[in-house]
Amino acid sequence: MSHNSSSSAFLEAVPSNAARFQVSVINENHESSAGADDGTDPPHYEETSFGDERQNRLRISFRPGNQECYDNFLQNGDTAKTDASFHAHDSHTNTYYLQTFGHNTVDAVPKIEYYRNSGSISGPKVNRPSLLDIHEQFAKNVAVAPGSADRVPNGEGMPGDEQTEDKEDDQSGAVKFGWVKGVLVRCMLNIWGVMLFIRLSWIVGEAGIGLGVIIIALAVTVTGITGLSTSAIATNGYVRGGGAYYLISRSLGPEFGGSIGLIFAFANAVAVAMYVVGFAETVVDLLKESDSMMVDPVNDIRIIGAITVVILLGISVAGMEWEAKAQVLLLIILLIAIANFFIGTVIPSNNEKKARGFFNYQASIFAENFGPSFTKGEGFFSVFAIFFPAATGILAGANISGDLEDPQDAIPRGTMLAIFITTVAYIAVAICVGACVVRDATGSMNDTIIPRMNCSGSAACGLGYDFSRCRHEPCQYGLMNNFQVMSMVSGFGPLITAGIFSATLSSALASLVSAPKVFQALCKDNIYKALRFFAKGYGKNNEPLRGYLLTFVIAMAFILIAELNTIAPIISNFFLASYALINFSCFHASYAKSPGWRPAYGIYNMWVSLFGAILCCAVMFVINWWAAVITYVIEFFLYVYVTYKKPDVNWGSSTQALSYVSALDNALELTTVEDHVKNFRPQCIVLTGGPMTRPALLDITHAFTKNSGLCICCEVFVGPRKLCVKEMNSSMEKKQAWLIKNKIKAFYAAVAADCFRDGVRSLLQASGLGRMKPNTLVIGYKKNWRKSPLTEIENYVGIIHDAFDFEIGVVIVRISQGFDISQVLQVQEELEKLEQDRLAVEATIKDNESEEGSGRIRGLFKKAGRLNITKPAPKKDSSINTIQSMHVGEFNRKLVEASNQFKKKQGKGTIDVWWLFDDGGLTLLIPYILTIRKKWKDCKLRIYVGGKINRIEEEKISMASLLSKFRIKFAEIHIIGDINVKPNKESWKVFEEMIEPYRLHESCKDLTTAEKLKRETPWKITDAVLEAAKEKSYRQVRLNELLQEHSRAANLVVLSLPVARKGSISDLLYMAWLEILTKNLPPVLLVRGNHKNVLTFYS
């Protein structure tokens, strides 16, 4: 390709202009610098960043007089370091810095090594300096081994660079093919099949020259468009082994690739049997002519076919080099056979050939054969269905993409040129045979015309022969009747037979190689885990010997069946399905508008590719409708299977790109639609921290947001920004993956902030996208507030105030055991590490069981002792041991049970809704959504509202009417008329004891002392504030009494959250309200909407 040639030209031109991109190595050795102080110029070593990397040498030049300094440099620094071994933070004996564009900097110029995948056979992957390396303050005293951050040892990349299964085996010394031998030869041999020699003449006889050329052109349109799409996909990045499967799977994803890859490999395996049987049938026909039959025609086909496929297997297993030589030999024979036909058309015909309908080139024959003459039961599409398989085989080169030197160049060039050459050959043969041979001939040399006979426009009659009796009785010769027309026309008939042998054997050999290669690539990706056995390769070419054997078994089985007429249409449809998906892949990748879609082969069009995909699907039904249906059913079944299994691969497919584009378009479209109360749904920010540390809080939120609303699990990292950002970035994917693994439809978001409240404030303002913005904040109840520092309490209450300031509803969830299970997770993590260490030691001991000597075994047991396998010692000062060991198990068991309580199906029970204050309806909407969930559907709603004692029935009827208008089903309605009654003394005493440590008691002190205390402890609850809020305090205590009376047995209590007026209510007093309100109750949801309607009874 022009891209490669220009690149190489650039590389060759660089040495002559080395100053263009200059990277210098500066030696900062103190001894050398001493020499520099004496007036001697310091050594100056230059390296061109785009130099010849294959030689792996440093280009060095020195100024006049610097040779001695250079020698000193080599003595002190051992050897000159290569470009890949430089490191900016090397602080060993000699320190080197990269000097780019004449300045000292860690920044590196662009290099291909930075963009390679780990395990690449084309060279090692190198890691460029990170953003932290060039952004953080430079530290010269950081000791880093030379090249430790630049060069990746043994070709291994950083974790996550590439999946393990994608790493290529070392293929040094492997045989690689260019575009001629690897693609062009294979495609031409596969496209030129038996159809060229024994069916093309019949097609011309049926459809005529005109429609025959149209049939060829239509078939070539399908394969040509597919070739263009294949070329575009193949030049959009490095292509590995797997051919059509690789192209489709990397474009459309594993679902499409996995489904089509399996049937494509199977189709190639069965195609081996088809071609071998075609070869065997020709041999059997020759045996019949010479009366040399072995048993009978069917068994002879089986015997010859079995022997042939064994020989072909031997050629394939011998190696790709031998197989390629065999293909070249077969192509030469095929070309000679085709040339033999064209030579035969100009050799004057004899009487015997004339009696069989061959008259050399005649205008009258051309005119007579130009139009169609379909026999009974035949038509344009039936003839097209017979011809089309002759045009297939265009993927023969792509199928061995892993064995090509440069697949990106070879596949487009070889495939398109093969299509062009074979198309010209097909059209030329069709026109020539149509201009030389009549449709019907008797074969009798006595059927010459008699004097004064009326020819009625017959071309044969005009040339002296009377074949009129063919209209009334069947004849054996002519285009319509004789499949051996090309053998008759040719200069030497046996060469056509040799051409038939060459066409069948070459196609069989290509399919025998293609099937294992494609199948191996499919198995390597581990999409079907049961097939992983066939992924192993052998030898320098990574030959799939196991795949060869499987293909051999499949081919042999179908050869022994010897009834391929039924399966042949299905195989053709399998190939067409692959073509359709390749075209659709090209269209899909273009339509997705991914910046990563940059094919070097620009001669394609997305809409032409789509037309090609539709055309392939149409041709499938034209060839055989029931075979097309079977193909679609099989592909759909495999697609569903792969989708269900969800293979853990990420290939950057166009499906992902289109999903992003669709999501973006939908989000933008949603912004143009104004919010409507009927479409309101809770969209929640959940302050879970790491989602796995507070699963119960996430579960209850997910219960009313799943499939209906947005749920974002949020975490705030507090501390130095550098450390926080590093920890946050490293755990982001892990925590999102945990959500996916546990089938929780939620997002994970994290921020780094100086304090917890600032982080939450940022999340409340910036989370979401367009209309998909959170409207509800969900937090867990701060159970340990009385033992927490004052700043934590201020932050906690401040978050609630911030949410209300931003007009965001608040839900506070309280359960008896609390939410945080990080202690349990830490214990589990420690136990897992110990178990891994134990298994590792056991495996080491097992591997060395056969070795003699007790010293080695004693060493192993010492290692086991160091790992604390037998008796793990507890870590000192660990939070795991803060609870007495005898109570740890019971404590953890209860905590784990509490964390899983919302995962279980809730039995028959009630959700008690204490809708005390109208907040727009969120307090009622959340429990309603819960009742329509599978786990909560057996729970009934009981509604509790406040009212007047003398109007209880009227209030109940009014509330029932409102709920019916909202279409919310309920079991009971209770009107509570004594909410404002003072609580009993015992309950109030509990509340007073709770707030006693936080009271200021300024009324008992003189004014000066009281003012001083207010200044020193402004967080304490003053007597004035307590007196002003006394009625509200009474209400919270009284509500807890009522909740204990009515809702103690409920599955869940949903309660209106009291609001503390900013600047009036102390944070500690507010926490005391929440504590006394929800004390000794089932799980409680304290809910307060933003006082905007979320319910409506209008349609």
Side-chain angles (χ1 to χ4, degrees):
M1 296 287 293
S2 60
H3 172 75
N4 294 337
S5 60
S6 63
S7 177
S8 60
F10 175 71
L11 287 173
E12 293 169 2
V14 165
S16 63
N17 189 15
R20 184 178 179 186
F21 293 106
Q22 179 177 303
V23 181
S24 302
V25 187
I26 308 302
N27 184 1
E28 290 191 355
N29 192 314
H30 294 293
E31 296 176 5
S32 300
S33 62
D37 293 336
D38 296 335
T40 307
D41 288 341
H44 188 73
Y45 311 112
E46 293 184 354
E47 180 199 3
T48 305
S49 60
F50 295 98
D52 188 358
E53 295 169 0
R54 289 173 297 180
Q55 297 178 4
N56 199 25
R57 295 183 302 178
L58 181 66
R59 297 183 184 271
I60 301 177
S61 61
F62 23 78
R63 299 170 186 171
N66 282 359
Q67 178 70 47
E68 183 180 351
C69 294
Y70 170 64
D71 294 336
N72 184 44
F73 158 70
L74 284 179
Q75 291 173 3
N76 293 335
D78 298 330
T79 58
K81 299 188 176 183
T82 62
D83 176 57
S85 65
F86 292 138
H87 195 275
H89 298 163
D90 187 1
S91 61
H92 292 128
T93 55
N94 288 286
T95 304
Y96 308 99
Y97 303 102
L98 289 180
Q99 190 180 70
T100 306
F101 309 129
H103 298 282
N104 289 344
T105 175
V106 180
D107 256 346
V109 294
K111 294 174 62 177
I112 190 173
E113 287 85 353
Y114 296 142
Y115 297 92
R116 286 195 179 112
N117 283 333
S118 60
S120 173
I121 61 172
S122 56
K125 174 177 173 55
V126 176
N127 290 335
R128 69 178 60 81
S130 69
L131 192 59
L132 288 178
D133 290 337
I134 62 176
H135 184 234
E136 292 295 325
Q137 186 175 0
F138 189 74
K140 293 185 180 181
N141 58 347
V142 180
V144 180
S148 61
D150 284 343
R151 183 168 292 280
V152 185
N154 302 324
E156 296 292 329
M158 296 298 289
D161 280 349
E162 192 180 38
Q163 296 179 5
T164 306
E165 59 265 26
D166 284 342
K167 289 179 182 176
E168 299 179 19
D169 298 329
D170 182 14
Q171 296 187 3
S172 56
V175 177
K176 297 291 184 179
F177 303 112
W179 70 274
V180 175
K181 190 184 278 190
V183 182
L184 180 65
V185 171
R186 293 172 188 279
C187 288
M188 288 172 63
L189 283 169
N190 241 28
I191 296 172
W192 278 332
V194 182
M195 203 71 65
L196 174 65
F197 297 102
I198 63 175
R199 285 291 187 273
L200 189 56
S201 58
W202 176 86
I203 289 168
V204 173
E206 288 283 346
I209 298 173
L211 284 182
V213 172
I214 292 175
I215 286 173
I216 296 172
L218 181 58
V220 172
T221 299
V222 175
T223 57
I225 293 174
T226 306
L228 292 174
S229 299
T230 303
S231 302
I233 298 173
T235 57
N236 190 54
Y238 181 73
V239 178
R240 295 187 178 180
Y245 159 72
Y246 187 89
L247 298 178
I248 294 172
S249 62
R250 268 49 177 186
S251 294
L252 292 179
E255 295 82 8
F256 281 104
S259 58
I260 202 64
L262 198 59
I263 66 175
F264 185 71
F266 176 76
N268 273 284
V270 178
V272 176
M274 291 177 57
Y275 294 128
V276 168
V277 168
F279 167 77
E281 285 178 348
T282 308
V283 175
V284 169
D285 288 340
L286 294 176
L287 292 176
K288 281 181 183 178
E289 292 177 5
S290 59
D291 196 21
S292 303
M293 298 291 294
M294 290 179 285
V295 186
D296 57 70
V298 173
N299 284 313
D300 282 6
I301 289 173
R302 289 171 177 164
I303 294 169
I304 295 170
I307 295 171
T308 304
V309 80
V310 168
I311 295 172
L312 293 178
L313 178 66
I315 295 173
S316 301
V317 172
M320 290 295 295
E321 193 170 7
W322 282 95
E323 187 267 348
K325 291 177 180 177
Q327 292 281 25
V328 172
L329 177 62
L330 292 172
L331 179 62
I332 293 171
I333 296 172
L334 193 57
L335 290 173
I336 293 173
I338 295 173
N340 176 50
F341 164 75
F342 287 114
I343 292 171
T345 60
V346 297
I347 296 175
S349 178
N350 55 34
N351 290 334
E352 183 184 357
K353 289 186 177 181
K354 287 181 179 179
R356 295 182 179 184
F358 173 51
F359 297 94
N360 295 111
Y361 293 105
Q362 300 293 336
S364 58
I365 296 177
F366 181 88
E368 183 179 74
N369 289 342
F370 190 81
S373 180
F374 294 114
T375 55
K376 187 177 180 181
E378 300 295 346
F380 177 84
F381 288 109
S382 64
V383 173
F384 173 79
I386 291 172
F387 172 77
F388 184 80
T392 59
I394 61 171
L395 297 180
N399 286 339
I400 64 161
S401 53
D403 296 297
L404 301 175
E405 287 181 359
D406 185 3
Q408 293 177 283
D409 177 61
I411 292 175
R413 186 184 299 186
T415 303
M416 298 310 297
L417 186 57
I419 292 173
F420 175 75
I421 293 173
T422 54
T423 301
V424 170
Y426 273 126
I427 293 176
V429 170
I431 293 174
C432 290
V433 79
C436 295
V437 185
V438 297
R439 281 193 168 102
D440 295 298
T442 60
S444 174
M445 290 185 288
N446 295 325
D447 288 338
T448 55
I449 60 171
I450 59 176
R452 295 182 300 277
M453 181 177 178
N454 184 13
C455 292
S456 303
S458 170
C461 182
L463 295 171
Y465 281 82
D466 178 16
F467 299 141
S468 58
R469 62 189 175 95
C470 292
R471 301 173 187 170
H472 312 291
E473 60 184 61
C475 294
Q476 295 182 355
Y477 297 96
L479 295 176
M480 307 279 279
N481 310 304
N482 183 14
F483 291 152
Q484 301 298 327
V485 167
M486 286 191 69
S487 180
M488 177 191 68
V489 172
S490 66
F492 184 61
L495 280 178
I496 297 298
T497 304
I500 294 173
F501 288 171
S502 174
T504 52
L505 292 178
S506 62
S507 297
L509 192 57
S511 297
L512 186 57
V513 171
S514 297
K517 294 284 185 181
V518 173
F519 193 61
Q520 183 188 35
L522 175 68
C523 297
K524 272 187 174 181
D525 289 334
N526 207 22
I527 292 177
Y528 302 99
K529 297 187 182 299
L531 303 178
R532 182 71 177 174
F533 173 79
F534 295 99
K536 184 173 177 59
Y538 296 88
K540 59 185 180 181
N541 267 58
N542 196 31
E543 295 289 349
L545 297 185
R546 296 174 180 177
Y548 280 128
L549 291 175
L550 179 63
T551 304
F552 170 76
V553 170
I554 294 173
M556 186 66 78
F558 280 95
I559 288 170
L560 295 177
I561 293 172
E563 289 291 337
L564 295 177
N565 290 336
T566 303
I567 197 96
I570 299 178
I571 301 307
S572 296
N573 274 328
F574 281 0
F575 286 124
L576 272 169
S578 304
Y579 296 171
L581 278 180
I582 288 176
N583 284 311
F584 184 72
S585 298
C586 185
F587 163 76
H588 200 268
S590 302
Y591 185 74
K593 299 181 180 69
S594 172
W597 174 249
R598 304 184 301 274
Y601 189 84
I603 309 173
Y604 77 96
N605 181 274
M606 59 184 287
W607 299 110
V608 172
S609 296
L610 179 62
F611 173 72
I614 297 171
L615 200 57
C616 289
C617 296
V619 171
M620 289 173 69
F621 283 95
V622 168
I623 291 177
N624 192 299
W625 68 267
W626 58 262
V629 171
I630 291 174
T631 304
Y632 284 126
V633 169
I634 294 174
E635 189 173 340
F636 177 75
F637 171 77
L638 293 173
Y639 178 88
V640 171
Y641 173 81
V642 177
T643 303
Y644 174 75
K645 288 295 183 179
K646 292 182 179 176
D648 186 19
V649 294
N650 182 12
W651 294 323
S653 65
S654 60
T655 306
Q656 297 172 341
L658 193 61
S659 297
Y660 175 85
V661 173
S662 299
L664 185 62
D665 289 342
N666 291 334
L668 290 171
E669 187 177 350
L670 198 60
T671 58
T672 63
V673 181
E674 293 185 6
D675 290 332
H676 194 282
V677 64
K678 287 196 296 184
N679 293 323
F680 177 87
R681 58 199 67 216
Q683 303 196 114
C684 302
I685 277 186
V686 196
L687 297 185
T688 57
M692 62 284 290
T693 59
R694 292 175 178 81
L697 180 62
L698 181 55
D699 288 338
I700 188 63
T701 308
H702 190 242
F704 59 82
T705 60
K706 181 181 179 181
N707 296 328
S708 64
L710 181 68
C711 181
I712 307 177
C713 303
C714 295
E715 185 172 9
V716 179
F717 290 85
V718 179
R721 180 182 295 178
K722 182 179 178 180
L723 296 177
C724 288
V725 170
K726 184 177 180 180
E727 182 182 358
M728 179 177 70
N729 292 339
S730 63
S731 64
M732 191 82 71
E733 290 185 5
K734 176 184 175 183
K735 291 171 181 176
Q736 185 64 54
W738 184 90
L739 293 172
I740 296 171
K741 181 181 178 182
N742 288 272
K743 298 180 180 179
I744 296 175
K745 296 184 177 180
F747 299 95
Y748 173 77
V751 295
D754 294 331
C755 75
F756 184 71
R757 184 177 179 182
D758 287 345
V760 176
R761 190 184 289 125
S762 299
L763 289 167
L764 291 173
Q765 294 179 87
S767 294
L769 188 68
R771 297 290 183 190
M772 294 185 294
K773 290 187 69 70
N775 53 34
T776 307
L777 171 67
V778 181
I779 57 176
Y781 177 69
K782 191 171 182 60
K783 186 181 177 183
N784 62 341
W785 64 275
R786 281 180 280 187
K787 299 178 182 178
S788 301
L790 181 64
T791 53
E792 290 188 10
I793 299 173
E794 289 178 348
N795 283 335
Y796 185 82
V797 179
I799 288 168
I800 300 173
H801 288 309
D802 293 337
F804 290 148
D805 287 342
F806 300 137
E807 295 187 336
I808 292 176
V810 176
V811 177
I812 302 177
V813 188
R814 180 174 186 177
I815 58 176
S816 58
Q817 294 293 326
F819 293 105
D820 192 356
I821 63 167
S822 55
Q823 288 185 353
V824 177
L825 296 177
Q826 191 174 354
V827 170
Q828 289 178 349
E829 186 177 352
E830 291 291 331
L831 292 175
E832 287 176 2
K833 286 182 179 178
L834 289 174
E835 180 65 15
Q836 290 174 0
D837 290 341
R838 184 185 67 80
L839 293 174
V841 170
E842 286 183 355
T844 307
I845 294 173
K846 186 176 180 180
D847 291 340
N848 293 275
E849 279 180 348
S850 59
E851 296 191 14
E852 297 179 357
S854 59
R856 189 176 185 88
I857 300 298
R858 283 198 300 270
L860 291 172
F861 280 112
K862 288 179 181 178
K863 181 181 179 182
R866 288 196 301 271
L867 293 172
N868 296 324
I869 301 297
T870 56
K871 188 177 180 181
K875 292 183 179 180
K876 294 182 180 180
D877 301 326
S878 174
S879 60
I880 301 175
N881 301 307
T882 54
I883 306 170
Q884 294 296 325
S885 59
M886 60 183 298
H887 300 301
V888 168
E890 181 67 18
F891 172 79
N892 286 345
R893 185 184 63 81
K894 290 183 178 180
L895 194 57
V896 170
E897 286 180 358
S899 68
N900 292 326
Q901 62 181 309
F902 297 126
K903 285 185 172 70
K904 304 173 184 176
K905 182 175 174 61
Q906 306 295 316
K908 290 186 178 180
T910 63
I911 298 177
D912 289 358
V913 182
W914 291 70
W915 195 16
L916 304 177
F917 307 104
D918 194 334
D919 59 350
L922 186 63
T923 308
L924 188 61
L925 181 62
I926 288 177
Y928 164 74
I929 296 174
L930 288 175
T931 58
I932 62 177
R933 301 302 190 196
K934 187 176 180 180
K935 292 176 183 176
W936 294 86
K937 66 179 182 180
D938 293 332
C939 294
K940 307 297 182 183
L941 288 184
R942 294 196 302 186
I943 311 298
Y944 293 84
V945 292
K948 298 178 180 178
I949 296 179
N950 58 352
R951 286 179 51 85
I952 288 180
E953 290 303 320
E954 291 86 343
E955 297 279 2
K956 185 180 292 188
I957 294 171
S958 175
M959 179 54 61
S961 174
L962 179 60
L963 293 175
S964 64
K965 288 182 178 180
F966 285 148
R967 303 170 302 286
I968 292 178
K969 295 180 180 179
F970 57 90
E972 302 172 20
I973 294 179
H974 297 273
I975 307 299
I976 307 299
D978 54 350
I979 291 178
N980 290 325
V981 176
K982 283 187 178 182
N984 61 50
K985 293 182 179 179
E986 290 79 9
S987 301
W988 181 251
K989 185 177 180 182
V990 170
F991 178 75
E992 287 187 322
E993 290 175 352
M994 185 186 302
I995 64 173
E996 180 60 33
Y998 313 111
R999 291 188 60 181
L1000 188 63
H1001 290 294
E1002 78 279 8
S1003 58
C1004 303
K1005 301 177 178 59
D1006 59 81
L1007 187 60
T1008 304
T1009 305
E1011 289 298 326
K1012 182 180 179 182
L1013 287 173
K1014 285 182 181 179
R1015 288 193 303 270
E1016 292 176 352
T1017 56
W1019 46 270
K1020 284 199 171 185
I1021 306 171
T1022 64
D1023 293 340
V1025 169
L1026 191 61
E1027 183 63 29
K1030 195 168 189 178
E1031 292 298 325
K1032 287 189 176 182
S1033 300
Y1034 280 154
R1035 187 189 305 144
Q1036 314 311 323
V1037 179
R1038 175 59 182 160
L1039 278 173
N1040 182 260
E1041 293 176 350
L1042 294 171
L1043 287 163
Q1044 298 283 349
E1045 178 183 347
H1046 295 280
S1047 299
R1048 189 69 185 269
N1051 293 53
L1052 181 70
V1053 176
V1054 182
L1055 176 65
S1056 292
L1057 172 69
V1059 177
R1061 195 174 293 277
K1062 283 196 301 183
S1064 301
I1065 304 299
S1066 164
D1067 293 342
L1068 290 165
L1069 179 59
Y1070 185 65
M1071 292 303 300
W1073 285 358
L1074 301 183
E1075 175 71 27
I1076 198 65
L1077 181 61
T1078 57
K1079 191 175 181 181
N1080 297 328
L1081 288 174
V1084 178
L1085 266 65
L1086 293 165
V1087 181
R1088 175 68 69 155
N1090 62 359
H1091 286 241
K1092 294 180 180 178
N1093 287 350
V1094 301
L1095 295 172
T1096 182
F1097 44 78
Y1098 295 107
S1099 59

